[in-house]
Amino acid sequence: MKVMKFGGGCLKDSNDFQKSVRILCEETARTAVVVSAVYGVTDLICEAEAAALHSEDAIPSLLKSIEVRHREILKGTIRDKEIFEKVWNEIMIKLKRMEKLLYGVAYTEEISDSLRALIHSFGERICACLMAGVLMDQGKEAEAFDSDEIGLITDEFYDNATAILPEVKKNLSKNIKPLMADGVI
């Protein structure tokens, strides 16, 4: 098994996604992919979070910027209409959830460390959907998972968490290993 990590610096636009997917398609070993947020998206999310602490006014425009950036990448990488719609719907669900969390911050005018970490994670969550979609468009079996869906368990140092390895190993063996054995990226 091989784990490949693609950081935001190599995930700026549709060309970068296509290059990354070519690398993944050439790989013969069973592969898991870990992605950062699309370049610049974490900054937009942090800006939205900071703005939400003072007012809800900036939330829609910042979320629209994030939406547009991902839609442009999607349009430049996925040709299959069915895959495009599936991925776009998944992205919009995640954006809607982030929007609700940001409005919660605006209404309470406060944010906990765990909520901040959750909001900051949406760039990666959205990018994983996008990467899986581009892989599927290239004929690969791929599935995106959020870290909490696969059982990644950490301590409570949200901004600098350490995985609780025995639990993570057990959860990954149960949730991811069978998919990888079937050739799913």
Side-chain angles (χ1 to χ4, degrees), residues 85-150:
E85 287 303 317
K86 177 185 183 294
V87 172
W88 185 244
N89 289 335
E90 290 172 1
I91 289 172
M92 290 307 295
I93 288 167
K94 291 183 186 307
L95 284 171
K96 194 54 125 168
R97 183 170 177 219
M98 185 170 62
E99 177 184 43
K100 289 177 184 178
L101 294 169
L102 288 169
Y103 277 111
V105 170
Y107 296 149
T108 61
E109 298 178 343
E110 63 184 24
I111 187 167
S112 66
D113 290 342
S114 61
L115 180 55
R116 176 175 282 117
L118 176 60
I119 291 170
H120 289 185
S121 75
F122 276 88
E124 287 82 3
R125 292 169 188 262
I126 294 167
C127 189
C129 291
L130 190 51
M131 182 64 80
V134 178
L135 284 161
M136 288 186 289
D137 192 65
Q138 294 298 311
K140 295 292 187 177
E141 286 195 55
E143 194 165 341
F145 291 97
D146 292 344
S147 57
D148 50 321
E149 293 175 320
I150 60 172

Side-chain angles (χ1 to χ4, degrees), residues 57-91:
D57 296 341
I59 295 171
S61 64
L62 289 164
L63 286 172
K64 190 67 174 175
S65 296
I66 295 167
E67 178 184 326
V68 166
R69 180 163 298 166
H70 289 93
R71 181 119 179 138
E72 288 303 312
I73 294 170
L74 202 60
K75 284 173 24 180
T77 55
I78 298 179
R79 289 164 190 73
D80 183 288
K81 289 181 191 269
E82 193 174 303
I83 294 171
F84 184 99
E85 287 303 317
K86 177 185 183 294
V87 172
W88 185 244
N89 289 335
E90 290 172 1
I91 289 172

Side-chain angles (χ1 to χ4, degrees), residues 13-29:
D13 55 29
S14 56
N15 288 331
D16 286 345
F17 272 83
Q18 290 168 340
K19 287 177 194 172
S20 299
V21 166
R22 274 196 299 276
I23 291 167
L24 290 165
C25 287
E26 291 171 1
E27 184 55 53
T28 57

Side-chain angles (χ1 to χ4, degrees), residues 39-67:
Y39 183 80
V41 167
T42 300
D43 292 338
L44 288 170
I45 292 171
C46 290
E47 189 178 336
E49 173 213 305
L53 280 167
H54 302 289
S55 166
E56 65 185 68
D57 296 341
I59 295 171
S61 64
L62 289 164
L63 286 172
K64 190 67 174 175
S65 296
I66 295 167
E67 178 184 326

